[in-house]
Amino acid sequence: MFEILREDISRAMRETRNDPDWKPTWRDKLDASLRHSTWPVIAYRFGHWSLGVRIPVLGQLLRIAGLIFRKWVELFTSVHINVHAKIGPGFVIHSVYAINL
């Protein structure tokens, strides 16, 4: 999950810069992570990852936490991504408005 999420955030940072010599700083990574359009991606990645946890009680707790987090993100961004969707690394949402998945 974390490697794919890292690729999502890296791609979001690369798309905002057109300089090939640009090296992201920790501040750039934090900015990309806190964008309004990044939260639905983080919620989706966590929810999708929690489906694969097969330890009975821990898996259920993670899925409940993921559901609460997804609903909170959905409330503030109006973006819903089904956790059963299969989305590869490098997923970026450019605008949280007018998205239909």
Side-chain angles (χ1 to χ4, degrees), residues 22-84:
W22 175 73
K23 301 288 185 204
T25 63
W26 67 270
R27 194 171 278 166
D28 295 322
K29 293 176 185 176
L30 182 65
D31 177 53
S33 299
L34 295 178
R35 284 186 197 149
H36 190 67
S37 59
T38 306
W39 285 101
V41 176
I42 294 170
Y44 159 74
R45 294 291 182 203
F46 182 79
H48 188 74
W49 171 79
S50 70
L51 292 177
V53 177
R54 298 293 177 210
I55 302 170
V57 175
L58 180 63
Q60 290 172 338
L61 290 174
L62 287 173
R63 284 187 278 282
I64 290 169
L67 176 66
I68 292 169
F69 181 55
R70 276 194 328 274
K71 291 302 178 182
W72 179 82
V73 168
E74 202 175 307
L75 178 68
F76 288 106
T77 63
S78 299
V79 176
H80 170 75
I81 304 172
N82 192 323
V83 294
H84 296 287

